[in-house]
């Protein structure tokens, strides 16, 4: 399978990329692990590709009170780096696709692609991350929660590049990304990004976000509220578990029915909360 | 574009849409790399680009411009099998052989990056490579065996 004929442009920096994209029917090429399959199937037929995959200015992990991650940082780089207070990112990165996909695919590509079953969108939503987006008009910032609009849809317009992602470290939080799949290497049937802060036996903060259960990452504030300021007793956990599936209607597809997904959400959250409680 | 494949420099013109696997097979006649699924699933087309394994059916040739590529042909020299190839042979880790080139290149990547290999780790790291014949057990054995041989 060949992509349709296409033009290729390799900019030397982000400025050149943005300039080229203006007024051209162009798509950004980062790792190509989602884009190239779509070009081969001819689902997408842009006139040009703008290859930002090698721009050094977009590939970095800067740790600090706030960690910033450049958009072309590859999955394997995140999978091999433990960022203090953000262990969940390493956790999620090591579960994306397979080794070969992780060797090429990028975090910015995954976030911009916004596949409703992909892993990072839920994680960065749970982390309250800020997306930093550049266009020729300048920079703008957007909360992860507002960035994801629907299946394969974000707030990016065709003249914009997701430049980096900014996240505050969740110091002292227990955090985990769990992914349920039917076969190794699959996209998530359901994925859960969970972080809780327990202080003297009390839950001080909670972040609960799912992937694979709707057309974009699903943050369940109701479930979070059920466990905040509690001792995380069995009854607190079951209230949160019930709340987590309220008001959500997961899709039915070849990976699982809507009800099955709800059941998986509940088990996943229950088991993960119990594990965190028992480990504290 | 310019690439170094298995230590040899090549210069060629390609259309931007040319996939790396087709470039290797059709332009350079390196047909050891196979096309299995053509959809990024099976790993038969695995090659190393600048030392990291990739599925060459899902990379444009032009993305490899200026880089170093290793294919299955580059693993052995003077018709002598390399230790991974030998281990695959000794452990009966192939039947039809279609997945084998990609499997061995991926094994090469694993062995050059992981020190403490366990069966579980090997299984995790080859899950991007599908074999329809062997049931994987002998492949896993072969990779663990190769790791012992290369350390000995
Ligand atoms: C076999 C296989 C299994 C996979 N399994 C998983 C999985 O389990 N979980 C998961 O989450 N993902 C999975 N993926 C997808 C993988 O994570 C991709 O790497 C990722 O979705 C896209 O990243 P990329 O760098 O390859 O982007 P590309 O494919 O290059 O781009 C994807 C899209 O984003 C746009 N884009 C890229 N970068 C930017 C940017 N900086 N600014 C604006 N737009 C941009 C492109 O124009 C394109 O539309 C899998 C992919 C494959 C092939
Ligand atoms: S042919 Fe490339 S992954 Fe199957
Ligand atoms: S040996 Fe036949 S597919 Fe692996």
């Amino acid at each position: 399978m060949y992509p349709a004929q296409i033009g290729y442009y390799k900019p030397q920096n982000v400025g050149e990329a943005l300039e080229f994209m203006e007024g051209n029917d162009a798509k950004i090429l980062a790792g190509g692990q989602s884009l190239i399959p779509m070009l081969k199937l001819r689902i997408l037929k842009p006139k040009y590709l703008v290859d930002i995959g090698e721009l050094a200015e977009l590939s970095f992990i800067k740790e600090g009170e706030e960690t910033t991650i450049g958009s072309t940082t590859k999955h394997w780089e995140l999978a091999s780096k433990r960022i203090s207070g953000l262990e969940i990112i390493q956790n999620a990165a090591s579960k994306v696709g397979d080794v070969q996909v992780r060797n090429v695919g990028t975090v910015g590509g995954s976030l911009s692609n916004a596949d409703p079953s992909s892993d990072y969108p839920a994680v960065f939503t749970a982390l309250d991350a800020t997306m930093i987006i550049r266009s020729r008009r300048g920079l703008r910032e957007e909360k992860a929660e507002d960035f994801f609009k629907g299946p394969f849809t974000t707030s990016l317009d065709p003249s914009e590049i997701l430049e980096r992602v900014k996240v505050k470290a969740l110091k002292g939080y227990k955090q985990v990304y769990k992914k349920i799949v039917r076969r190794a290497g699959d996209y998530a049937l359901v994925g859960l990004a969970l972080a809780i802060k327990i202080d003297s036996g009390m839950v001080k903060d909670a972040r609960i976000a799912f992937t694979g259960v709707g057309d974009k990452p699903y943050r369940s504030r109701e479930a979070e509220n059920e466990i905040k300021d509690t001792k995380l007793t069995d009854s607190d956990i079951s209230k949160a578990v019930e709340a987590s599936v309220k008001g959500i209607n997961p899709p039915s597809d070849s990976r699982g029915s809507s009800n099955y997904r709800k059941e998986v959400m509940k088990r996943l959250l229950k088991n993960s909360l119990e594990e965190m409680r028992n480990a504290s | 574009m310019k690439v170094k494949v298995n230590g040899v420099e090549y210069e060629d013109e390609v259309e931007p849409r040319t996939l790396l696997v087709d470039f290797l097979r059709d332009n350079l006649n390196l047909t050891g790399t196979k096309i299995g699924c053509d959809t990024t699933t099976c790993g038969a087309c695995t090659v190393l680009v600048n030392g990291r394994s990739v599925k060459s059916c899902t990379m444009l040739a032009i993305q490899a411009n200026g880089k170093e590529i290793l294919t299955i042909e580059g693993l052995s020299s003077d018709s002598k099998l390399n230790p991974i190839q030998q281990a695959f042979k000794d452990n009966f880790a192939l039947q039809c052989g279609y997945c084998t080139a990609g499997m061995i290149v991926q094994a090469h990547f694993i062995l050059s990056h992981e020190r403490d290999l366990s069966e579980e780790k090997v299984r995790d790291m080859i899950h991007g490579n599908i074999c329809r014949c062997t049931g994987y057990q002998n492949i896993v054995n072969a990779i663990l065996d190769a790791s012992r041989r290369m350390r000995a």
Side-chain angles (χ1 to χ4, degrees), chain A residues 1 40 54 97-98 100 103, chain B residues 38 52 55 57 67 129:
Chain A
M1 280 185 305
K40 287 169 77 175
E54 310 254 317
D98 52 47
Q100 289 97 319
N103 278 341
Chain B
D38 206 9
R52 301 209 74 92
K55 294 179 176 174
C57 72
K67 297 186 180 159
N129 293 74

Side-chain angles (χ1 to χ4, degrees), chain A residues 1-3 31-41 98 100-101 104, chain B residues 16-25 33-49 53-61 63 98 128:
Chain A
M1 280 185 305
Y2 269 85
Q33 298 303 289
S34 296
L35 182 55
I36 293 175
M38 287 192 274
L39 295 175
K40 287 169 77 175
L41 293 169
D98 52 47
Q100 289 97 319
V101 169
V104 192
Chain B
R17 62 171 169 166
T18 307
L19 300 167
L20 180 58
V21 68
D22 294 319
F23 175 75
L24 293 170
R25 291 176 53 85
T33 304
K34 302 298 179 228
I35 302 175
C37 64
D38 206 9
T39 56
T40 340
T41 313
C42 75
C45 62
T46 301
V47 301
L48 301 195
V49 176
S53 59
V54 311
K55 294 179 176 174
S56 59
C57 72
T58 309
M59 178 172 275
L60 301 173
Q63 286 178 282
Y98 205 83

